[in-house]
C-alpha cells in the first residue's frame, strides 16, 4: 500500500504533456526518434536485468548469468550510442558507501558501477549530483 501511494504521487507530479512508458525494455525506446527521453532510472533497469538472468544465485551467475547480463548491458549501451533523440538517464551511485555484507549486494553494487561507467561513456555530458549539488564530470 505504501509503495503504491509513492508511485501514485510520482505519477501525479509528471507534466500532463509527458508520454510515459513504465518499462524496463529501453532498447526500443532508445531506437525511436522524437521527443527527449527521460530514463528514471538505470538502477531499476539493472535490478530487472539481474532478476531476468538469475544473477542473485551464485551457481546461475557462474553458469551463464554473468555473460547474459554483460550482453544486456552491451545492447543497452549500443542503443544509447545510436539514439537519435536527447536522452537523460538517472542512476544511483552505490559504490561510495559501505560495502554490502552479502555477496548479492556486492554483486549489485559492482554491476551498477559497471553499467553506470558503460552508459556514461556513450554520453556527451555526465553530471554527478550529491546533496542537491551538481558536478559536471564531462560536458
Amino acid at each position: 500500500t505504501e509503495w503504491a501511494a509513492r508511485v501514485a504521487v510520482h505519477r501525479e507530479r509528471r507534466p500532463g504533456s509527458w508520454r510515459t512508458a513504465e518499462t524496463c525494455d529501453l532498447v526500443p525506446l532508445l531506437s525511436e526518434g522524437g521527443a527527449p527521453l527521460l530514463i528514471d532510472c538505470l538502477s531499476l533497469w539493472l535490478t530487472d536485468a539481474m532478476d531476468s538472468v538469475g544473477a542473485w544465485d551464485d551457481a546461475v551467475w557462474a553458469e551463464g548469468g554473468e555473460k547474459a547480463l554483460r550482453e544486456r548491458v552491451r545492447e543497452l549501451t549500443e542503443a544509447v550510442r545510436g539514439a537519435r533523440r536527447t536522452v537523460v538517464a538517472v542512476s544511483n551511485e552505490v559504490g561510495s558507501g559501505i560495502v554490502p555484507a552479502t555477496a548479492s549486494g556486492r554483486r549489485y553494487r559492482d554491476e551498477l558501477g559497471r553499467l553506470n561507467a558503460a552508459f556514461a561513456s556513450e554520453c556527451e555530458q555526465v553530471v554527478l549530483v550529491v546533496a542537491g549539488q551538481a558536478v559536471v564530470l564531462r560536458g
Side-chain angles (χ1 to χ4, degrees), residues 9-37:
V9 168
H10 186 73
R11 286 178 178 149
E12 290 170 12
R13 286 193 315 237
R14 296 177 187 155
S17 61
W18 285 17
R19 183 180 71 92
T20 302
E22 293 182 356
T23 182
C24 286
D25 192 9
L26 299 178
V27 171
L29 294 175
L30 288 162
S31 300
E32 296 174 5
L37 175 65

Side-chain angles (χ1 to χ4, degrees), residues 64-117:
E66 181 177 11
K67 183 178 180 183
L69 184 65
R70 299 279 184 268
E71 178 62 18
R72 297 275 308 268
V73 169
R74 185 193 61 74
E75 290 170 356
L76 181 64
T77 56
E78 284 183 1
V80 76
R81 180 183 315 129
R84 298 173 311 212
R85 64 200 300 186
T86 299
V87 176
V88 175
V90 177
S91 190
N92 295 308
E93 170 51 60
V94 296
S96 296
I98 297 170
V99 175
T102 64
S104 61
R106 290 187 298 275
R107 180 170 297 146
Y108 177 80
R109 179 208 52 196
D110 293 348
E111 294 306 322
L112 184 57
R114 287 183 185 98
L115 170 61
N116 286 343

Side-chain angles (χ1 to χ4, degrees), residues 36-48:
L37 175 65
L38 170 63
I39 299 172
D40 188 8
C41 73
L42 290 176
S43 38
L44 292 175
W45 178 89
L46 179 65
T47 301
D48 179 72

Side-chain angles (χ1 to χ4, degrees), residues 118-137:
F119 199 97
S121 72
E122 300 300 336
C123 296
E124 294 175 10
Q125 185 175 43
V126 177
V127 178
L128 176 65
V129 179
V130 178
Q133 304 299 306
V135 179
V136 176
L137 302 176

